[in-house]
Amino acid sequence: MEEITFGIYETFTPEETAELGVRIGRQAAPGSVYTLIGDLGVGKTVLTQGIARGLGITEPVSSPTFTIVQVYDQGRLPFYHFDVYRIGDVEEMEEIGYEDYFYGEGVTMIEWGNLIEEILPERYCRITVEKKPENGFDYRKITIEEVT
């Protein structure tokens, strides 16, 4: 299986998007932090579900829109799935103890991470998911880049 590196990936079905996530999850190391950026309905949760599967998590994974963070700990590494779309202020992140997650031994995925850039670790991986309708309804352009 090809190693995922920084760059641009194209998927043409939700299954391909999820499989890219599986590959990312299999490579994820303790302490990894990923941000996931993209419009509503672009496939962020599908990619996240794939990452969880790649970590060996078998329970259903859904976006924690109203709970802010969902913790899955039965995979090879703990998986912390944040959705910060509804965060009004970074202080809300402090109240839930974000540092324990961001700087812990698990893998952290932050949907809408661009909304809390001021508290992100010095180094993380940004994943941007974009639709291009001219390339087909299920086409996704997925950009993976390191931020330092």
Side-chain angles (χ1 to χ4, degrees), residues 65-133:
T65 303
F66 296 100
T67 58
I68 301 175
V69 64
Q70 186 71 33
V71 176
Y72 304 91
D73 55 13
Q74 94 283 23
R76 71 175 176 85
L77 294 169
F79 184 50
Y80 313 124
H81 180 198
F82 284 81
D83 183 332
V84 299
Y85 184 73
R86 298 193 186 287
I87 288 286
D89 191 303
V90 173
E91 286 179 14
E92 290 180 56
M93 293 295 290
E94 291 172 3
E95 289 172 14
I96 60 173
Y98 78 89
E99 290 178 331
D100 293 339
Y101 300 105
F102 290 14
Y103 300 101
E105 290 301 309
V107 175
T108 303
M109 170 59 73
I110 310 160
E111 292 190 43
W112 302 98
N114 54 308
L115 300 177
I116 59 163
E117 284 181 339
E118 63 268 29
I119 63 168
L120 291 174
E122 193 173 293
R123 181 184 196 135
Y124 64 94
C125 180
R126 178 172 45 221
I127 302 173
T128 306
V129 183
E130 301 171 272
K131 287 183 181 182
K132 292 201 176 222

Side-chain angles (χ1 to χ4, degrees), residues 42-64:
V42 80
K44 294 184 299 296
T45 300
V46 169
L47 186 69
T48 300
Q49 290 167 338
I51 291 170
R53 245 188 9 246
L55 287 167
I57 295 165
T58 56
E59 68 184 280
V61 172
S62 59
S63 189

